[in-house]
Amino acid sequence: MAQPLRFRYSPQSWSEQRVRQDILQPLRSNIGARAVSPRFDIGADWSTHRFEMQNGDLALFARNDSEAYWMGNTETPSSLWRTDKFGWDEVPYHVARWTQRELLATLHEEDPWLADYPYISWFFLPVFMSKDGRESTRAFFREHAAGFPDAGRRETTRFFEEFLKTGVFDDYRHVMAGKLGTSNHVDRVRMSATMAEFIAAKILTDAGYEVVPEIEVTTGHSLDFRAEDGETNALVEVTRPQPPTNRSAAGPVAAVRDTAETKTNGQLAKHGGGAVLFVDCSSFRDDSWAAVRDERPDVRHRPAVVYRARPDGHVEGYRKGSVPLDLEANDAVEFVD
């Protein structure tokens, strides 16, 4: 499976002739590439190339007198096979900015509705335009409302747009966007579990905490978040039960218990305690959540927070044990316990 888009770096000089010979000609022979004019100017002392393939793939190449950068959701020419890869924030500004503008224009041409959500478009660009995942990741937002039931794509995309605009994950864009995956098919369970981490981070941020993802612990595992403010430093692990209609458990209460038990007996058991378990029931429809809310089942781990978010921003939930986080601050969560 291809990974989220990154740059390949060539510390060499590339002439126009070498570009045609070592990049365009092999791609033309293999997958019908053609060179087209880039849509944007790069500025500075860079020269740019845009290659479009018959199968819809796209590749970009920027070069100056001493180095060059390649990015594409297509096969890599053999002349660039042994080159190092770099992230978006590790390459010259002009190169990153030009590449971003070219890809965003193509994304919005192919999926015009995403143009209304510039931050979502930018944040998930490495997967929205990836080789294997460009269809599935966009379809997850477009056709599956990013994992929310009984909701439209625009209200759910707006929910995540408003959160990402806060910049909370800007420094962690590659790892967090990459969690959505680059599979060539929509895996609603896995993708919804990814968005549960974004919902958890939004809750923590709304409550006034600074959030850092992917915290390594002494067991060699990573927990999802560290939440901090002036007085609190808490680790948070997130799990998301599948809605009852998608699993064999006997109803929503069992779904919550079983999913939490799997997490408790696995990653949290190895960690040795201390983390707050967030159980995100945002995939549950109204009646399923009502059953969980009314019974408030134990989840075999304390402290824990069980909740359900809706795209309008309202979050309802209950607690088990002494939760070291004030999630009622700023109405981040309405507790029913």
Side-chain angles (χ1 to χ4, degrees):
M1 182 188 302
Q3 298 299 308
L5 289 180
R6 291 196 296 171
F7 292 88
R8 284 185 176 271
Y9 173 64
S10 172
Q12 300 175 358
S13 175
W14 285 75
S15 65
E16 185 82 25
Q17 180 179 356
R18 186 183 176 191
V19 171
R20 287 197 303 269
Q21 178 178 320
D22 292 350
I23 293 180
L24 177 57
Q25 289 182 9
L27 291 178
R28 178 180 289 160
S29 298
N30 291 345
I31 50 177
R34 64 189 184 100
V36 300
S37 298
R39 303 182 181 187
F40 300 94
D41 293 328
I42 191 172
D45 58 347
W46 295 89
S47 298
T48 58
H49 304 265
R50 178 181 173 112
F51 306 102
E52 297 179 354
M53 322 303 161
Q54 289 181 348
N55 63 0
D57 290 356
L58 172 67
L60 302 168
F61 193 69
R63 59 186 174 89
N64 62 20
D65 292 339
S66 60
E67 58 184 349
Y69 290 89
W70 159 276
M71 175 176 281
N73 55 21
T74 189
E75 69 174 53
T76 303
S78 60
S79 56
L80 295 168
W81 280 355
R82 294 176 178 84
T83 51
D84 293 329
K85 295 181 180 180
F86 291 91
W88 291 77
D89 57 352
E90 298 174 316
V91 304
Y93 168 79
H94 286 89
V95 173
R97 176 60 176 164
W98 170 73
T99 304
Q100 177 179 298
R101 295 178 75 189
E102 293 281 333
L103 293 177
L104 282 172
T106 302
L107 172 68
H108 293 156
E109 183 179 84
E110 295 174 351
D111 273 277
W113 74 278
L114 280 171
D116 293 336
Y117 308 97
Y119 224 92
I120 284 279
S121 297
W122 168 79
F123 191 87
F124 288 107
L125 190 63
V127 292
F128 280 165
M129 290 296 292
S130 63
K131 178 175 176 57
D132 293 334
R134 61 182 184 259
E135 298 297 336
S136 60
T137 52
R138 298 181 216 171
F140 177 64
F141 279 88
R142 183 181 62 247
E143 300 169 15
H144 302 282
F148 280 109
D150 297 330
R153 70 183 185 191
R154 292 197 172 274
E155 61 180 319
T156 59
T157 307
R158 189 181 308 117
F159 172 87
F160 292 112
E161 173 85 4
E162 293 304 313
F163 168 59
L164 290 174
K165 280 171 61 176
T166 65
V168 169
F169 281 155
D170 281 7
D171 291 340
Y172 312 101
R173 176 194 181 197
H174 185 78
V175 64
M176 293 305 297
K179 288 188 175 191
L180 196 58
T182 55
S183 170
N184 59 11
H185 70 281
V186 177
D187 185 338
R188 291 185 63 182
V189 172
R190 182 186 54 74
M191 289 178 167
S192 295
T194 292
M195 301 317 294
E197 295 187 30
F198 286 83
I199 294 171
K202 182 181 187 302
I203 291 171
L204 292 166
T205 301
D206 288 349
Y209 295 98
E210 294 185 9
V211 175
V212 179
E214 293 300 296
I215 303 303
E216 293 187 5
V217 293
T218 55
T219 59
H221 296 80
S222 292
L223 297 183
D224 289 325
F225 299 111
R226 175 185 288 118
E228 299 176 298
D229 63 8
E231 302 175 351
T232 304
N233 185 329
L235 296 176
V236 175
E237 181 67 10
V238 185
T239 189
R240 188 171 198 171
Q242 297 180 44
T245 54
N246 293 348
R247 63 195 310 280
S248 59
V253 171
V256 170
R257 285 176 175 155
D258 291 353
T259 302
E261 182 178 4
T262 298
K263 180 70 71 171
T264 301
N265 291 341
Q267 194 168 359
L268 292 179
K270 294 175 182 177
H271 174 58
V276 183
L277 177 62
F278 275 25
V279 183
D280 178 6
C281 298
S282 300
S283 291
F284 285 21
R285 299 186 184 276
D286 290 346
D287 55 346
S288 295
W289 168 245
V292 174
R293 179 193 60 208
D294 293 345
E295 186 167 332
R296 300 197 291 277
D298 204 341
V299 292
R300 301 186 184 180
H301 177 88
R302 297 185 180 216
V305 183
V306 183
Y307 58 86
R308 179 187 185 238
R310 295 298 294 154
D312 63 2
H314 180 249
V315 183
E316 187 178 61
Y318 66 91
R319 295 160 288 201
K320 291 292 183 179
S322 180
V323 177
L325 297 164
D326 182 11
L327 301 178
E328 292 176 291
N330 304 318
D331 298 321
V333 181
E334 178 187 351
F335 285 109
V336 297
D337 52 4

